[in-house]
């Protein structure tokens, strides 16, 4: 699963996801993309589950790009622990995804295969998504 | 050169984001025509007209006549801004041109003879690095497309700008390096899927990492 190699600090504030994506809203590599339309934190497990769903559906053709990276450490307190006594320990990594952000790009497969692969991936993700393709098709 | 498509538009009088938002509330797209020594013209147009032309390859290398309430301007689309979530056009820029205007435009790339590329027939993927090549040319000489012949290419081969013959008077805007337009890569491999690995939360902080390196260096 994706995770940073090293960080400046072990724990971060929770934060909020405000507004729309400022970058990463257009296709850069592939002919098809999966765009988020709602904000949420996407965990490294969810990214990995989506990646597996896509590559399995594509069989052995095509190329996939993952355009988000989980760089936010999310901490949790153990079960049945009273409040206080400091912040919990980091449990997993997540990416903050703003609406408009392209999360995956795909190329080298027919459009129907790409649509189905992204449908399967979308079911693994906490955000609402939209299938997009390059405008200049004809 | 009267065979350019005509885009119908109407003039708008106020500039600025308030005025542009008011135009968008009417269901129209605000825009502007600028260039040469003439004054800029503020306009608004139907997004459906714009979308029809944007779907065709090479929109930004295609010249149009924009008809703003009777006055026609020969233009080249310079930029279209899109909403990040809905991908609807929210603003359009047109550059006023003549035959001799030197312009920098992106020409769409078309690949041919894909079935004659051994690398693609054995399962390789055409990895398009540039779907369009930026060139500097006179507005009257803008080519329709850049054609790239893929016959004979194997997995690992790439097509560079030096392999492409451009028409006379057309030069790539990037001149300091021989850039890649496309390559043939191996497909994404399905790796043996191991049991769900855990998140590695033992990531060193930069301070810890540097301290460890210093200790290692001292020994």
């Amino acid at each position: 699963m994706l995770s940073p190699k090293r960080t400046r600090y072990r724990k971060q504030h929770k934060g909020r996801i405000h507004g729309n994506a400022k970058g990463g809203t257009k296709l850069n590599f592939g002919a098809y993309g999966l765009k988020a339309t709602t904000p949420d934190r996407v965990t490294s497990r969810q990214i990995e589950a989506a990646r597996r769903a896509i590559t399995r559906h594509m069989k052995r053709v095509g190329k996939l790009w993952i355009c988000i990276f989980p760089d936010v450490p999310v901490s949790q307190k153990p079960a049945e622990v009273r409040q206080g006594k400091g912040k919990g320990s980091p449990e997993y990594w997540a990416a903050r995804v703003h609406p408009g952000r392209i999360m995956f790009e795909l190329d080298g497969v027919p459009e129907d295969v790409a649509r189905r692969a992204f449908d399967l991936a979308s079911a693994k993700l906490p955000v609402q998504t939209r299938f997009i393709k390059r405008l200049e098709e004809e | 050169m009267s065979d350019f498509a005509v885009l119908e538009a109407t003039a708008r009088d106020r500039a600025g984001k308030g005025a542009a938002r008011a135009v968008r509330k009417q269901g129209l797209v605000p825009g502007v025509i600028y260039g040469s020594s003439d004054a800029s013209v503020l306009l608004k147009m139907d997004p459906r007209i714009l979308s029809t032309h944007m779907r065709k390859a090479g929109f930004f290398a295609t010249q149009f006549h924009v008809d703003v309430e009777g006055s026609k301007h020969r233009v080249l689309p310079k930029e279209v801004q899109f909403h990040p979530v809905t991908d609807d056009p929210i603003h359009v820029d047109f550059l006023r041109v003549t035959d001799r205007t030197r312009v920098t435009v992106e020409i769409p790339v078309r690949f041919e003879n894909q079935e004659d590329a051994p690398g693609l027939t054995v399962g390789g993927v055409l990895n398009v690095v540039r779907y369009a090549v930026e060139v500097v040319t006179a507005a009257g000489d803008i080519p329709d497309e850049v054609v790239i012949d893929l016959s004979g290419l194997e997995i690992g081969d790439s097509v560079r700008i030096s392999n492409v013959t451009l028409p006379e008077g057309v030069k790539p805007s990037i001149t300091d390096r021989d850039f890649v337009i496309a390559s043939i890569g191996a497909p994404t491999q399905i790796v043996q899927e191991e049991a769900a690995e855990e998140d590695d939360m033992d990531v060193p902080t930069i301070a810890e990492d540097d301290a460890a390196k210093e200790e290692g260096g001292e020994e």
Side-chain angles (χ1 to χ4, degrees):
Chain A
M1 280 184 287
L2 293 172
S3 65
K5 285 195 178 68
R6 62 178 198 165
T7 60
R8 184 163 292 276
Y9 302 107
R10 280 182 63 232
K11 297 176 185 177
Q12 277 187 23
H13 290 179
K14 174 182 276 183
R16 297 285 185 280
I17 301 171
H18 296 290
N20 294 329
K22 286 164 70 181
T25 60
K26 293 178 184 171
L27 288 170
N28 275 319
F29 305 104
Y32 311 104
L34 188 66
K35 179 175 266 199
T37 55
T38 56
D40 214 328
R41 278 202 302 225
V42 180
T43 70
S44 56
R45 281 166 177 253
Q46 289 163 343
I47 296 171
E48 176 63 11
R51 185 194 68 79
R52 283 188 191 184
I54 293 168
T55 48
R56 276 186 188 169
H57 187 72
M58 292 191 316
K59 305 274 168 42
R60 294 193 60 217
V61 293
K63 190 162 172 62
L64 174 73
W65 290 267
I66 301 171
C67 309
I68 52 174
F69 188 81
D71 58 353
V72 177
V74 180
S75 63
Q76 280 177 347
K77 280 174 172 288
E80 299 184 1
V81 168
R82 288 175 184 270
Q83 292 301 304
K85 309 291 180 204
K87 191 171 169 74
S89 57
E91 292 295 328
Y92 58 90
W93 297 95
R96 289 196 186 117
V97 173
H98 293 254
R101 176 82 196 191
I102 290 178
M103 297 176 289
F104 297 94
E105 289 188 35
L106 199 51
D107 206 350
V109 290
E111 185 179 335
D112 56 332
V113 175
R115 275 185 189 275
R116 179 70 186 135
F118 280 152
D119 276 350
L120 293 168
S122 184
K124 312 283 186 285
L125 298 171
V127 289
Q128 299 286 306
T129 61
R130 201 156 65 80
F131 177 84
I132 59 165
K133 63 177 184 178
R134 215 162 263 283
L135 256 183
E136 297 167 355
E137 280 291 298
E138 291 148 33
Chain B
M1 300 286 269
S2 59
D3 54 343
F4 302 137
V6 177
L7 303 177
E8 297 287 340
T10 48
R12 63 186 171 105
D13 46 3
R14 286 193 306 130
K17 65 184 173 188
R21 283 174 184 167
V23 169
R24 286 184 204 116
K25 276 196 173 171
Q26 297 168 13
L28 301 172
V29 180
V32 63
I33 298 173
Y34 51 74
S36 73
S37 53
D38 298 341
S40 302
V41 177
L42 298 172
L43 56 88
K44 54 189 176 185
M45 63 194 306
D46 190 337
R48 285 170 297 185
I49 297 173
L50 202 57
S51 300
T52 311
H53 291 283
M54 278 194 309
R55 284 184 202 289
K56 294 173 186 160
F59 171 69
F60 289 100
T62 309
Q63 293 175 60
F64 296 95
H65 279 307
V66 177
D67 186 349
V68 186
E69 295 176 356
S71 67
K72 280 193 174 180
H73 304 263
R74 181 180 164 184
V75 298
L76 195 64
K78 191 72 181 163
E79 188 187 6
V80 180
Q81 295 171 20
F82 296 96
H83 189 275
V85 181
T86 61
D87 287 328
D88 294 330
I90 54 178
H91 190 269
V92 57
D93 285 12
F94 293 108
L95 178 69
R96 205 181 275 125
V97 292
T98 63
D99 263 345
R100 289 185 301 164
T101 313
R102 296 291 292 177
V103 289
T104 304
V105 288
E106 291 205 324
I107 310 297
V109 174
R110 183 166 64 83
F111 298 96
E112 61 178 25
N113 295 331
Q114 298 205 16
E115 61 281 359
D116 296 336
L120 293 177
T121 51
V122 297
V125 183
L126 181 65
N127 183 15
V128 183
V129 179
R130 290 174 189 273
Y131 284 90
V133 177
E134 197 177 78
V135 298
V136 181
T137 177
D141 303 330
I142 298 174
D144 292 334
E145 60 189 10
V146 174
V147 180
I148 291 177
D149 186 4
L150 296 174
S151 52
L153 295 183
E154 303 275 356
I155 287 179
D157 289 349
S158 56
V159 180
R160 292 175 180 271
I161 189 65
S162 57
N163 306 128
V164 178
T165 314
L166 293 172
E168 200 171 328
V170 180
K171 289 180 179 166
S173 64
I174 301 171
T175 52
D176 58 341
R177 61 184 192 276
D178 189 14
F179 59 88
V180 176
I181 297 171
S183 60
I184 296 183
T188 305
Q189 296 289 328
I190 299 178
V191 291
Q192 199 66 33
E193 290 177 5
E194 63 280 2
E197 54 180 301
E198 289 301 311
D199 270 335
D200 183 11
M201 299 308 299
D202 286 338
V203 173
T205 62
I206 290 174
E208 289 167 355
D209 203 26
D210 290 345
K213 274 182 191 165
E214 277 178 24
E215 276 179 27
E218 283 168 13
E219 283 169 11

